[in-house]
Amino acid sequence: MIHIITGSTLGGAEYVGDHLSDILQENGKSTTIHNQPTLESIPNEGVWLLVTSTHGAGEYPDNIKPFIAALQSTPPKMQDVKFAVVAIGDSSYDTFCAAGKHAHDLLTDIGGTSIDDCLTIDVLKHPVPEEAAEEWINDLLNKFD
């Protein structure tokens, strides 16, 4: 099972998560989307695909803050979790994709196994971030098993 975990303020990360879910399902993968993620609702096994924007001064969107806080304060055993992170941001800010980069480092630090480097999508170069995410995921499909 691939758990798609989104952190979104205006819906962009949710759109990317939905699009990636469609692509994965078209390729025979099972997915579940968590737009209001809680640590209790996501098993610490399988694949976690975390898609988040960065809000304000490098912060997580409100919907994912409790999930990240729980990972930091009481991290689950992550040896059975492979993960990938898609970070969406605007490179005109000095905190470009800070939330996604932090999430990637956090999941690594607590014992998850990274499938790939953190994908950073700059909305100034990719006004439709789903397109950049689609290109990325197509190159990694075999790693989502």
Side-chain angles (χ1 to χ4, degrees):
M1 174 65 68
I2 301 167
H3 296 276
I4 300 173
I5 303 160
T6 64
S8 191
T9 299
L10 300 175
E14 288 182 13
Y15 296 140
V16 171
D18 290 344
H19 189 64
L20 293 177
S21 177
D22 291 344
I23 293 168
L24 289 164
Q25 288 178 5
E26 288 167 6
N27 285 277
K29 316 288 186 198
S30 297
T31 65
T32 300
I33 298 174
H34 304 271
N35 291 329
Q36 294 295 325
T38 63
L39 203 49
E40 300 76 32
S41 67
I42 304 170
N44 52 331
E45 61 186 24
V47 177
W48 290 10
L49 176 53
L50 195 144
V51 181
T52 189
S53 60
T54 297
H55 181 68
E59 299 169 15
Y60 287 95
D62 287 342
N63 74 304
I64 199 169
K65 280 181 181 177
F67 175 74
I68 296 297
L71 281 176
Q72 290 174 306
S73 64
T74 54
K77 292 185 171 148
M78 297 289 287
Q79 70 268 17
D80 295 329
V81 176
K82 294 193 301 186
F83 73 90
V85 176
V86 176
I88 303 167
D90 179 331
S91 63
S92 66
Y93 290 90
D94 60 356
T95 57
F96 174 63
C97 290
K101 292 173 184 175
H102 176 267
H104 188 274
D105 291 344
L106 173 62
L107 292 171
T108 301
D109 288 347
I110 64 173
T113 302
S114 177
I115 291 172
D116 197 28
D117 293 334
C118 179
L119 172 67
T120 56
I121 299 174
D122 184 354
V123 296
L124 296 180
K125 294 178 183 170
H126 300 281
V128 181
E130 293 90 332
E131 293 172 359
E134 180 174 340
E135 184 178 314
W136 171 81
I137 198 123
N138 282 329
D139 290 339
L140 295 177
L141 281 171
N142 63 331
K143 294 184 179 184
F144 282 88
D145 292 323

